[in-house]
Amino acid sequence: MKVARQLHYPRRMALLKIHRTMDGPVVFTISGDLNTESVGELCQLIAAEPRGAVVTLDLTDLILADREAIRLLRDCERDARVVLHNCPTYIRALIAAEDLRL
Amino acid sequence: MDQVFGAQLRATLNVIPAYTWYATPSGALTFVNERSADYLGLPEDHPLRFGTDSGAVWDSHLPMLHPDDREATRNVWAECLQTGLPGEVSFRVRNGEGNYRWFGSRAEPLRGNDGTLLCWIGINFDIDERKQAEFYLAAGERLAHTGSWAFTPAGFEHWSPELLAIHGLDPASPPPSTQDYIALVHPDDREFVTQQIQAMLAELRGFDFTKRIVRPDGSIRSVRCVGTAATNSRVVTFVGTGIDVTEHEELMKALRKTEMELRQTLDFAPQLICVFGPQFEPLYANRTCLEYAGVSDDEWRQGGPHTHPDDLERIKPLAEQALSTGMPFEAEQRVRRGDGSYRWFLARYNSVRDEDGQIIRSYISCTDIDDRKRAEERLREENVALREEIDKTSMFEEIVGSSPALTAVLSRVAKVASTDSTVLITGETGTGKELLARAIHRRSPRAARAFVAVNCAAIPRDLIASELFGHERGAFTGATQRRLGRFELADGGTIFLDEIGELSPEMQIALLRVLQEREFERVGGQERIHVDVRVIAATNRDLQAAIVEGSFREDLFYRLNVFPVEMPALRERQDDIHVLVEYFIGRYARKAGKTFRRVSKRTLNQLRAYPWPGNVRELQNVIERSVIVSDTEDLQVDESWLSAAPRMESRLGLAGAVAAQEKAIIEDALRACGGRVFGPAGAATRLGIPRSTLESKIKALKIDKARFRMGTKRP
C-alpha cells in the first residue's frame, strides 16, 4: 500500500479567464480562480468602464476566491459599482464575514 | 735636407697646434714637434726633438705604436715609401705614462722644385674619443645585431663591421657594390629589394622593410633594413641600419604558428568563446560562436550583444560586482542564434589585468545547457502536476481486493497496461476508476514519466481548453503568463481524462483532433505542439446513450473505446468488502491513534448487505466515520449510515417531502429493472401503475431514465 507523502513543489499558476460581453449591459464572466495575483487585473477592467456604469460579474464558473478577491467583490458591491450574479453561496458567506470583520 | 731648411721646417712644425713630424725620404722618423715629444714623454735632449739623425730606419718608430696596429702601419708606410704617394693610417701611440691613444696619421711627401723628395711630413690627429665612440658603437651593433650603412646613387659608401658580419662577410672588408649586395639578397626577395632601392632614389624617401639574405656559407638570415635620407649632405645620401631579426622572425613565426594552432583549437571547441578588450570592445570570437550567431567576424565585431535582454538585466549587477572584485563569475543566460531563437548557455566570465590592475582582456566561454534547462523546466512542470495529484487525499492506495469480478478486471488491465492503447474505464462513481488508471500507468513503459489527471466536469467550460491545451500570454483577459496545458505536462507520460462524458461538444471536437493527430495549438498560439501521450479516459455516464441523445460524439467514443474496462460496483465484489474494511480501519485507526481488535460478524453482514450506491468511496467514508465515533475496540457502524433511502429533509415541507419520497421509490424501481419502464420486467409493472403514469411522473420529477440502464450512472 502506498501512502501519500507531503512533498513540497511550486504550485501551478491558477487559471483565470475574464470574458466581457461586447453588447448590451457590461457583464464580466469570471471563470477559474480569483486570487491576489489576478485581483488587480479585474480592478483595472472595472475601473476602465465608464464612470457611473454598473458592471455585472457573473460568478457561475468562479471556482475559488481568496481573501483579497472577497474584499474586492465586497467593496465593489458596496460602492454599487458591480452587481454579483450567480454568486456562489460560500462567496456570499465570506463577503458577509468580511463585513463583520470590519 | 739642408740645415736651414730643416730648422725652418722644425720651427714651423712646432707652432702647428697638432702632432706633427717629419721623416727622411727613406722613411726614418727624424723629428717630432714639441707637442708630440711631450706626448711621447721624450727627454728634453732627445734627438727626435731636434731632428738629429739617430740612425733610425724607416720602421724604427713602430715600437711607439700599439702592437696590434704595427702591422697595418708598416704596410701603409711601406706603400707610401714605395709609391711616393701620401697615405693615411690610424694607430694607437703610447704616451709617456704608457697609455695609448688613437691617432689618425697622414703622411705627405715634401718635394723640391725639381720633384726630388726632400722628406715626408706627417700630421697626427687625436681621434681617441672618436675611436672610443666607434668602439662602443661597434660593440653596441654587435650586441644588437645591428649594423649601419651609408648609400649614394654611386653605391654604398659605408658598411659597419657588424653589418658586414651580419651578411657573412669579412668585417674588415669594404662595403659591397650594389650588384654584390643584390646578389646577397635571397632570390625570392631580390625583385622587391630592387624596387625599394629604386623608389628610395627616385622619391628620396626612407624605407623600412625586412628581407632575407643568403650568406656565403648558404645560411639564410632575415635582415630588417631601415633607411632615411641624410638631410645635411650636398650629395644625395641615405643612411640607415640593418638589423639581424632572424631569431625574432623565427620567434614570430613560431608565435604565429602557436596562435594559429590555438585558434584552430578554439575554433574546434564546442563552446562559444569570445575575447574582449579593455573597454569590452569585441576582439575575437571562435568559429563555433560565429556559426551559432550566423555572422561573419566583422559583423560580430560591429554587432551588439546577443544576450537575451531579460538576462542582460539580471546579469548586469553580477558583472559589475565581479569586475570590481576581479573575480571570475558564471551566469546562465540565453544567447540569440542566427535564426533569432534563443538557447540557454552557462557563461563563464574571466578577466586578465595588467600590473596596475586595469583590465586588458575579458574572456567569455559559453557552454550549451539548453537541453538541461528544458529538461529541468519539464521536470518542474511535471513536479507541479505531481504535487497537485499528491495533494488529493485518496488516490494513492493500491486497489484492494481479490474477488472474481475485480480479478477479472485486473487481469485485463495487466494485458493492456504495457501497451500504448487508449483505455476507456467505465463504472459507477466511487468504484476506483482513477486508481485503476494509475495502476495502468504504473505498469506501463511510461511509469517513469508524468501521470496527469484532469476532471473534465470540475473545470468551467470557459477554461477547459486552457486547462487541457494551455494558453499563450495575452490569449484572453486573465492570461497573464504562458501556461502549459495538461497534454504538454503529460508529454511522454499518461493523461487521465476523468468524467469525459461531461465535455462540451466543442471540446469533444478539439479532443478528437488531438487524439487523431497528437498535435494541438495552445489557446491564442499558432505553434503546433506535438505530444506523445497515452490516453486513459473514464466516465460513469452511459456514453452509448449519450450518443443516441446527441450529447456525445460517436467518432470520439470510438477513438476512446479502444480497450474498454468496466470497474465493478462494490455490490458485485462482496468478497472484497471484508478486506476493504480491514484496510480502511488500519488506515484511519492509525491516524486516530486507536486500536480495533475486530469487526463483529453482525457488522460485517450489515456491510455486505448494503448495496453501496457510492461504492468504495462510500465504504471508506463510513469506516472513517465509524473509527471516529467508536469508543471500544469493536468497530461500531451506525445502521442509519447504511440506509439506501436518502433521509427526508424536514425543510422541504410536506409537498417536497412527498415528491422526494416518490422520486426515490421510482428511481429504486428503475434501478431494479435496469432502467426498463414498461413490459413485464419494467418499473411500471413493479410499481403497479400504468406506464403512462410512470412516464409522466418521471418527466415531472426530472428523473433521468438512462442512468438506470445496466452499468449506467447511479445517483
Side-chain angles (χ1 to χ4, degrees):
Chain A
M1 177 183 71
K2 288 189 181 175
V3 178
R5 292 179 295 157
Q6 286 297 319
L7 296 175
H8 299 280
Y9 294 97
R11 278 214 62 86
R12 197 151 178 250
M13 180 182 61
L15 200 56
L16 174 70
K17 183 173 181 180
I18 304 174
H19 178 69
R20 182 184 183 280
T21 52
M22 300 301 289
D23 51 5
V26 174
V27 177
F28 285 115
T29 303
I30 316 286
S31 305
D33 298 350
L34 194 57
N35 55 27
T36 308
E37 291 158 3
S38 51
V39 148
E41 185 155 4
L42 181 58
C43 281
Q44 286 176 12
L45 289 171
I46 295 172
E49 295 300 321
R51 196 176 279 280
V54 176
V55 170
T56 299
L57 299 184
D58 187 342
L59 305 182
T60 308
D61 288 333
L62 179 63
I63 297 173
L64 212 60
D66 68 3
R67 183 169 282 174
E68 282 300 316
I70 296 295
R71 284 183 186 148
L72 169 70
L73 294 174
R74 180 205 61 198
D75 293 343
C76 289
E77 195 179 39
R78 194 191 312 135
D79 297 341
R81 192 84 173 98
V82 306
V83 168
L84 303 182
H85 189 55
N86 296 325
C87 182
T89 311
Y90 82 94
I91 297 279
R92 185 55 67 191
L94 287 170
I95 290 175
E98 277 296 311
D99 280 336
L100 285 176
R101 211 184 291 274
L102 286 177
Chain B
M1 188 191 316
D2 65 27
Q3 289 183 356
V4 172
F5 176 74
Q8 286 174 340
L9 183 58
R10 286 190 293 277
T12 304
L13 292 180
N14 272 331
V15 299
I16 295 175
Y19 300 92
T20 58
W21 50 272
Y22 70 75
T24 62
S26 63
L29 183 66
T30 308
F31 171 79
V32 295
N33 71 351
E34 283 181 17
R35 185 187 287 264
S36 298
D38 290 343
Y39 173 83
L40 293 170
L42 298 179
E44 289 296 326
D45 59 350
H46 196 282
L48 280 177
R49 287 183 180 270
F50 303 102
T52 310
D53 184 5
S54 60
V57 294
W58 71 280
D59 58 357
S60 294
H61 63 285
L62 290 181
M64 294 179 192
L65 308 182
H66 192 286
D68 292 345
D69 302 330
R70 290 173 192 168
E71 186 64 29
T73 306
R74 176 184 283 113
N75 292 338
V76 171
W77 192 224
E79 180 76 14
C80 290
L81 294 178
Q82 189 176 1
T83 60
L85 294 173
E88 286 183 7
V89 69
S90 299
F91 45 63
R92 284 161 281 184
V93 181
R94 192 180 65 247
N95 65 10
E97 284 83 34
N99 300 320
Y100 288 91
R101 288 184 71 82
W102 278 95
F103 288 89
S105 180
R106 181 172 176 82
E108 287 272 356
L110 179 63
R111 295 183 186 276
N113 294 334
D114 58 357
T116 307
L117 180 61
L118 299 176
C119 66
W120 290 90
I121 297 179
I123 184 165
N124 292 353
F125 296 100
D126 189 337
I127 61 167
D128 191 74
E129 285 180 8
R130 195 195 84 188
K131 274 294 191 183
Q132 290 283 351
E134 280 179 6
F135 172 77
Y136 290 129
L137 178 62
E141 284 187 352
R142 206 163 40 251
L143 287 170
H145 301 293
T146 303
S148 56
W149 52 266
F151 182 83
T152 68
F156 284 104
E157 293 289 320
H158 162 74
W159 268 37
S160 69
E162 184 56 29
L163 189 63
L164 288 160
I166 286 172
H167 284 76
L169 303 175
D170 183 359
S173 58
S177 66
T178 307
Q179 276 174 333
D180 289 344
Y181 166 72
I182 294 296
L184 286 170
V185 176
H186 192 287
D188 293 344
D189 298 342
R190 276 180 199 159
E191 188 179 343
F192 169 72
V193 171
T194 305
Q195 286 169 356
Q196 288 293 311
I197 294 174
Q198 287 168 351
M200 174 184 76
L201 291 170
E203 298 164 26
L204 298 179
R205 62 163 175 80
F207 55 83
D208 182 351
F209 61 83
T210 300
K211 65 171 193 299
R212 288 167 296 171
I213 58 165
V214 182
R215 286 178 167 177
D217 63 3
S219 60
I220 297 175
R221 308 291 292 179
S222 293
V223 179
R224 180 183 172 194
C225 301
V226 182
T228 184
T231 54
N232 56 354
S233 173
R234 283 172 296 156
V235 177
V236 170
T237 306
F238 294 86
V239 296
T241 57
I243 309 168
D244 188 343
V245 294
T246 306
E247 283 76 25
H248 178 257
E249 284 289 303
E250 282 169 3
L251 271 173
M252 288 302 294
K253 202 170 161 183
L255 192 62
R256 274 193 289 274
K257 186 178 171 210
T258 304
E259 190 180 326
M260 182 64 63
E261 284 171 359
L262 181 61
R263 284 200 178 221
Q264 282 177 342
T265 305
L266 289 178
D267 275 342
F268 286 128
Q271 288 82 8
L272 314 185
I273 298 173
C274 306
V275 182
F276 297 85
Q279 309 303 325
F280 227 76
E281 68 275 23
L283 295 179
Y284 164 78
N286 72 342
R287 184 186 297 176
T288 307
C289 181
L290 296 176
E291 284 176 356
Y292 175 83
V295 297
S296 66
D297 195 41
D298 286 336
E299 286 168 343
W300 177 77
R301 284 173 212 277
Q302 287 158 22
H306 292 258
T307 304
H308 195 287
D310 293 346
D311 297 330
L312 264 181
E313 199 61 38
R314 174 174 50 85
I315 292 165
K316 200 173 162 193
L318 287 174
E320 283 168 2
Q321 189 189 10
L323 284 172
S324 65
T325 59
M327 299 298 293
F329 75 99
E330 291 182 352
E332 293 184 355
Q333 63 189 68
R334 285 162 287 182
V335 180
R336 191 177 69 241
R337 204 158 59 170
D339 60 4
S341 63
Y342 285 88
R343 286 182 69 85
W344 281 97
F345 286 85
L346 176 65
R348 291 189 173 91
Y349 293 78
N350 228 320
S351 56
V352 174
R353 294 173 184 262
D354 60 17
E355 292 159 353
D356 299 324
Q358 301 299 314
I359 290 176
I360 52 174
R361 287 288 184 273
S362 293
Y363 299 90
I364 301 176
S365 160
C366 297
T367 304
D368 192 324
I369 56 168
D370 195 79
D371 292 339
R372 189 203 85 192
K373 284 293 269 191
R374 290 189 195 278
E376 276 177 9
E377 186 72 27
R378 191 168 53 236
L379 192 62
R380 216 173 4 254
E381 293 288 344
E382 282 183 7
N383 285 341
V384 169
L386 188 61
R387 165 61 190 266
E388 291 183 351
E389 298 304 314
I390 290 172
D391 282 344
K392 292 182 186 173
T393 57
S394 62
M395 291 300 171
F396 274 79
E397 291 83 4
E398 290 282 355
I399 300 167
V400 175
S402 57
S403 63
L406 183 63
T407 307
V409 167
L410 296 181
S411 171
R412 275 173 64 76
V413 160
K415 292 189 172 93
V416 76
S418 58
T419 70
D420 252 5
S421 298
T422 301
V423 177
L424 177 62
I425 306 173
T426 55
E428 295 178 8
T429 184
T431 50
K433 293 189 289 296
E434 182 164 346
L435 273 182
L436 191 66
R438 289 181 180 277
I440 293 172
H441 170 73
R442 270 201 298 278
R443 283 153 184 78
S444 74
R446 297 169 182 262
R449 301 302 296 272
F451 175 88
V452 177
V454 185
N455 188 325
C456 300
I459 302 169
R461 186 175 280 220
D462 267 357
L463 295 178
I464 186 72
S466 287
E467 186 68 24
L468 289 179
F469 308 126
H471 60 244
E472 296 291 353
R473 182 179 170 181
F476 48 80
T477 307
T480 54
Q481 297 178 47
R482 171 190 277 186
R483 181 188 173 98
L484 299 187
R486 295 283 177 164
F487 271 94
E488 269 188 276
L489 293 180
D491 191 17
T494 305
I495 189 166
F496 174 54
L497 301 170
D498 199 4
E499 309 274 15
I500 191 120
E502 306 305 319
L503 282 179
S504 66
E506 299 82 24
M507 278 314 303
Q508 289 179 35
I509 295 170
L511 181 61
L512 178 62
R513 184 161 156 254
V514 173
L515 294 180
Q516 285 171 338
E517 296 170 24
R518 302 290 174 178
E519 277 185 350
F520 58 90
E521 292 117 11
R522 296 192 193 106
V523 176
Q526 292 178 345
E527 180 193 354
R528 293 189 63 80
I529 297 161
H530 178 84
V531 288
D532 170 29
V533 173
R534 195 259 184 95
V535 175
I536 302 176
T539 182
N540 53 18
R541 288 187 68 189
D542 181 355
L543 292 184
Q544 296 274 22
I547 292 169
V548 169
E549 276 177 16
S551 62
F552 202 82
R553 294 180 65 96
E554 189 175 25
D555 47 5
L556 178 58
F557 172 75
Y558 285 118
R559 272 281 163 188
L560 295 170
N561 200 40
V562 174
F563 194 94
V565 174
E566 181 168 354
M567 278 300 277
L570 187 55
R571 72 188 75 84
E572 297 165 28
R573 297 167 50 192
Q574 289 198 351
D575 296 342
D576 291 333
I577 288 179
H578 188 180
V579 66
L580 280 168
V581 167
E582 295 286 346
Y583 170 78
F584 288 128
I585 288 175
R587 182 181 177 188
Y588 293 113
R590 197 161 41 245
K591 261 192 188 176
K594 292 181 177 179
T595 308
F596 292 93
R597 285 187 186 280
R598 67 186 193 106
V599 179
S600 68
K601 203 166 182 185
R602 182 170 172 275
T603 302
L604 268 178
N605 287 339
Q606 272 181 310
L607 296 174
R608 283 201 190 99
Y610 182 59
W612 298 108
N615 294 290
V616 179
R617 188 177 295 126
E618 188 181 3
L619 173 63
Q620 180 181 336
N621 293 342
V622 166
I623 301 302
E624 183 175 5
R625 215 178 300 159
S626 301
V627 165
I628 292 170
V629 303
S630 296
D631 293 323
T632 65
E633 289 179 340
D634 288 344
L635 187 78
Q636 304 295 323
V637 176
D638 191 329
E639 284 187 20
S640 65
W641 300 343
L642 302 180
S643 166
R647 285 185 177 279
M648 293 297 134
E649 287 291 340
S650 58
R651 286 179 291 166
L652 285 175
L654 181 61
V658 169
Q661 179 82 8
E662 204 172 35
K663 185 175 181 184
I665 293 169
I666 293 172
E667 284 180 344
D668 277 345
L670 284 169
R671 187 179 301 117
C673 298
R676 222 172 273 115
V677 174
F678 59 93
T685 305
R686 187 183 177 92
L687 293 170
I689 58 175
R691 171 196 169 182
S692 57
T693 305
L694 180 57
E695 291 278 16
S696 65
K697 283 188 184 294
I698 286 172
K699 192 174 175 183
L701 293 170
K702 293 187 176 53
I703 295 172
D704 182 4
K705 292 180 294 188
R707 287 163 43 206
F708 301 98
R709 293 202 183 113
M710 290 305 291
T712 57
K713 180 179 176 180
R714 299 289 184 200

